[in-house]
Amino acid sequence: PPNLAGEFMRSILNETPYPATMLQAVIRRIRSDTENRVKPIRAALIKAYLNRYYRFYPNQNHKEVTMELDTLQPSIGYQLGRLFATLEKIQEEANPGLNATIRERFYGAACATPVTVFANLLRLKNHHLAKLENKGRVVNFERLLAEIIGKMNNFPAHLDLHEQGRFAIGYYHQRQAFFTKREENESELNQVQI
C-alpha cells in the first residue's frame, strides 16, 4: 500500500508497533508467491512485527519469536507451520523431483483454516512414509511428528493474523533446520574421512 512506508517510518521514530498493514501485506505476498513462499526477508519482517507488537502490548501467553527453530514455542500457529514443513519434507523425500508439493496446493488453506487441511495431509503422510526405503529416516520423521503434534490439543478452525504470521515463521524455521542438519552431517562426514 502507498502509505505503508510513511506509517512504517513513523512507527520507528515514535517507537510504536509496526503497522498491521505491514503484516497483512507480507502474509498476502507469502500466499500469492507459490514458488518462494517464506523468504528470509519476509520471515524477518513478520518476526520484527510480532516481537515489537508484544513488547508494546505485553501478553503472558506470547513467547518472543527467536531467530532459529524454537521447539518450545507455545504458539499453535508456529507448531502448525513446523508440522506443515515436516509433511512437505516427507513428501519431497518420498517423491523426489515432484513438480508440485503440498506447499503449492495447500499452504494458503493450512495457514488460514488448518482444520480443513491437516487431516488429509496426515493421511497422505502415511503413504509417503511407506515409500521411504531408509527405515531410520521413517523413525526420525515419526519422532519429529509426534513431538510437534504432542504440543497441540486440536487443529483450530481459523488462525488470526498473528498466528498466520507465526505459522509462516514456524514453517521457515523448520525448513531451515532440515537444511542446517544436513549441512552439519555432511561436514562431520568430511571430517571423519580426512
Side-chain angles (χ1 to χ4, degrees), residues 134-158:
N134 183 344
K135 296 307 172 193
R137 194 75 175 135
V138 172
V139 170
N140 287 338
F141 277 130
E142 289 284 1
R143 196 174 296 149
L144 179 59
L145 289 169
E147 180 252 319
I148 296 169
I149 293 172
K151 291 180 172 58
M152 296 182 273
N153 295 331
N154 58 11
F155 294 110
H158 299 284

Side-chain angles (χ1 to χ4, degrees), residues 17 69 115 159:
L69 182 64
V115 74
L159 293 181

Side-chain angles (χ1 to χ4, degrees), residues 1-193:
N3 59 345
L4 181 58
E7 290 177 16
F8 185 66
M9 192 63 187
R10 194 174 306 110
S11 68
I12 291 171
L13 296 173
N14 295 335
E15 296 182 2
T16 58
Y18 296 128
T21 52
M22 181 181 83
L23 180 61
Q24 292 167 348
V26 172
I27 289 176
R28 196 174 326 115
R29 183 61 58 97
I30 288 171
R31 289 174 138 203
S32 66
D33 186 358
T34 58
E35 195 168 316
N36 300 308
R37 290 279 182 198
V38 187
K39 293 180 178 180
I41 189 71
R42 293 175 187 162
L45 283 169
I46 294 170
K47 176 183 173 289
Y49 173 87
L50 291 172
N51 287 343
R52 190 165 186 143
Y53 180 89
Y54 286 106
R55 282 186 200 128
F56 199 80
Y57 301 110
N59 183 340
Q60 296 293 344
N61 299 327
H62 172 75
K63 182 179 177 189
E64 189 166 293
V65 179
T66 59
M67 286 182 55
E68 55 189 21
L69 182 64
D70 180 6
T71 58
L72 301 177
Q73 175 65 255
S75 163
I76 187 76
Y78 188 87
Q79 296 301 330
L80 286 170
R82 290 184 61 211
L83 178 61
F84 191 80
T86 304
L87 294 172
E88 180 186 21
K89 182 70 171 164
I90 291 170
Q91 182 190 31
E92 287 173 351
E93 289 191 17
N95 304 305
L98 197 61
N99 287 339
T101 64
I102 62 172
R103 178 181 63 210
E104 284 81 17
R105 293 184 179 151
F106 298 109
Y107 183 91
C111 181
T113 55
V115 74
T116 62
V117 174
F118 276 98
N120 186 33
L121 293 179
L122 288 169
R123 195 170 41 255
L124 286 172
K125 171 259 315 175
N126 295 327
H127 300 293
H128 295 145
L129 285 175
K131 289 182 181 180
L132 293 177
E133 294 177 10
N134 183 344
K135 296 307 172 193
R137 194 75 175 135
V138 172
V139 170
N140 287 338
F141 277 130
E142 289 284 1
R143 196 174 296 149
L144 179 59
L145 289 169
E147 180 252 319
I148 296 169
I149 293 172
K151 291 180 172 58
M152 296 182 273
N153 295 331
N154 58 11
F155 294 110
H158 299 284
L159 293 181
D160 65 18
L161 196 60
H162 287 198
E163 286 300 324
Q164 288 181 34
R166 289 190 193 99
F167 182 98
I169 297 284
Y171 173 82
Y172 176 77
H173 282 172
Q174 189 65 58
R175 291 292 296 176
Q176 294 305 307
F178 287 136
F179 294 118
T180 303
K181 289 178 184 175
R182 178 178 289 162
E183 289 170 3
E184 288 173 2
N185 291 340
E186 288 174 2
S187 66
E188 288 174 10
L189 285 174
N190 290 339
Q191 290 175 354
V192 170
Q193 292 174 352

